[in-house]
Amino acid sequence: MASKRKVIITCAVTGAIHTPSMSEHLPVTAQQIAQSAIEAAEAGAAVVHLHARDPEDGRPDQSPEAFTPFLQVIKQRSDAVVNITTGGAPTMSIHDRVRPAATWKPELASLNMGSMNFGLFPMLTRYEAQLKHQWERDYLGNKGILFRNTFEDIEHILTTLTEHGTRFEFECYDTAHLYNLKHFHDAGLVKGPLFIQTVFGLMGGIGAHYDDVMHMKRTADRLFGENYRWSVLGAGKNQLPIAAISAALGGHVRVGLEDSLWAGPGELAETNAQQVVAARQIIEGLGLEVARPDEARELLALKGADAVGF
């Protein structure tokens, strides 16, 4: 009897897009981030994608020290693969963004594959009345954000982290980002199996229509053949519909409060685990199995939790 295909669930626990005034359930403190990641892993997430925040006002914090408390707790209480962001926040420099992953040498690190306009400002209109901190208004209202990820920036992250055995979640927000990745692959700076996270529905990137999803998959198939693992990230209300498309077509999925605050129309998700459970129901409803952390490590050719720096 043939074994069921394994689907990796990544849970992005807090991110740097949503701000704490938008939802009381968004993890902010190290204790909250650790507990939420552990609960997500217990619910079925093989990978936890991590950002840090200032515990006082919730703003993104990309200092390596901000990651220390929750990295150690997650490793002690979970076998999940830890993925440390190098995206940080789109207003940060590349040198600040790479520091946590360079310090802690995780199995996985995210890597944005191209520069782009990054439009958070539509959220200001929806949430302005409830924002508690001035930094939230300044951040969300900024129409001038250019998320810089030049070829030089990308190469800096690749060369800095590859020497420690860290592999990458390549975040591709548009077709050009796939071609950028192809450049680095052909140059020998990255090797398969590539873990490609195609991102849909963020303003400045590709949309979230079914045709957009298929276009990105067709392009990745043509460029990389069977030398990659495909995963998807749908922003906001697009999270679960796009996850379902990916699972049905042979891919993996990412959910979490970084990408969507919602459990359903008008219903805030109370935990990251709640979103993981919803994704798991889709996967298992398709007759597939959720990958365990050890299975994700094998699929992605990771170095193992014993080789990290925390």
Side-chain angles (χ1 to χ4, degrees):
M1 184 175 177
S3 59
K4 294 181 180 180
R5 180 167 58 84
K6 305 290 185 177
V7 180
I8 298 168
I9 299 177
T10 295
C11 183
V13 174
T14 189
I17 292 177
H18 297 117
T19 70
S21 297
M22 295 178 181
S23 172
E24 63 181 350
H25 307 299
L26 185 71
V28 170
T29 68
Q31 181 179 2
Q32 291 168 346
I33 291 169
Q35 185 62 34
S36 196
I38 292 162
E39 291 173 357
E42 291 172 346
V47 179
V48 289
H49 171 95
L50 301 174
H51 290 241
R53 290 178 179 267
D54 184 319
E56 297 299 322
D57 62 9
R59 72 179 68 212
D61 184 346
Q62 199 68 359
S63 64
E65 297 76 19
F67 286 74
T68 308
F70 58 76
L71 287 178
Q72 294 174 346
V73 173
I74 292 167
K75 184 179 180 182
Q76 290 167 358
R77 295 177 52 193
S78 168
D79 189 36
V81 174
V82 167
N83 176 344
I84 294 179
T85 180
T86 70
T91 52
M92 296 175 177
S93 74
I94 195 70
H95 299 287
D96 287 337
R97 286 161 47 191
V98 76
R99 286 178 61 219
T103 301
W104 300 118
K105 306 174 180 60
E107 295 180 77
L108 267 178
S110 65
L111 178 51
N112 297 68
M113 288 310 299
S115 299
M116 59 185 291
N117 291 319
F118 211 78
L120 302 177
F121 55 87
M123 290 193 288
L124 182 62
T125 303
R126 297 200 300 271
Y127 291 101
E128 186 168 18
Q130 66 193 69
L131 298 180
K132 301 173 184 176
H133 307 288
Q134 184 60 45
W135 80 263
E136 295 175 297
R137 292 184 174 82
D138 296 339
Y139 183 57
L140 296 175
N142 186 352
K143 294 184 179 182
I145 294 176
L146 177 62
F147 199 177
R148 175 186 160 131
N149 297 282
T150 67
F151 288 105
E152 181 180 45
D153 294 337
I154 294 168
E155 185 171 342
H156 174 66
I157 292 176
L158 286 173
T159 55
T160 299
L161 301 186
T162 298
E163 64 179 276
H164 303 306
T166 295
R167 290 178 63 81
F168 299 93
E169 171 209 1
F170 296 104
E171 296 195 4
C172 297
Y173 293 74
D174 215 334
T175 314
H177 295 183
L178 293 170
Y179 282 93
N180 293 349
L181 178 55
K182 174 69 168 162
H183 159 74
F184 287 105
H185 180 265
D186 290 349
L189 289 177
V190 299
K191 295 179 173 60
L194 307 173
F195 186 33
I196 299 178
Q197 190 80 248
T198 50
V199 182
F200 303 95
L202 280 167
M203 190 171 184
I206 199 167
H209 191 276
Y210 173 82
D211 288 344
D212 297 319
V213 180
M214 296 309 299
H215 174 59
M216 290 288 276
K217 183 178 189 301
R218 284 193 300 267
T219 303
D221 286 346
R222 175 165 46 80
L223 294 177
F224 305 109
E226 297 188 4
N227 198 29
Y228 84 105
R229 310 285 180 255
W230 178 49
S231 184
V232 298
L233 181 175
K237 66 181 181 180
N238 305 300
Q239 185 173 83
L240 291 178
I242 287 180
I245 293 171
S246 178
L249 293 178
H252 307 279
V253 304
R254 171 171 142 173
V255 295
L257 294 176
E258 171 174 352
D259 305 330
S260 174
L261 296 175
W262 305 98
E267 179 189 355
L268 286 171
E270 296 185 7
T271 64
N272 278 284
Q274 185 179 2
Q275 294 182 338
V276 173
V277 168
R280 183 169 195 154
Q281 289 172 338
I282 291 170
I283 292 163
E284 293 176 343
L286 291 169
L288 309 172
E289 287 188 356
V290 172
R292 301 189 307 269
D294 62 316
E295 293 169 329
R297 289 183 171 97
E298 183 176 358
L299 284 166
L300 303 178
L302 303 181
K303 63 182 180 179
D306 58 339
V308 301
F310 55 89

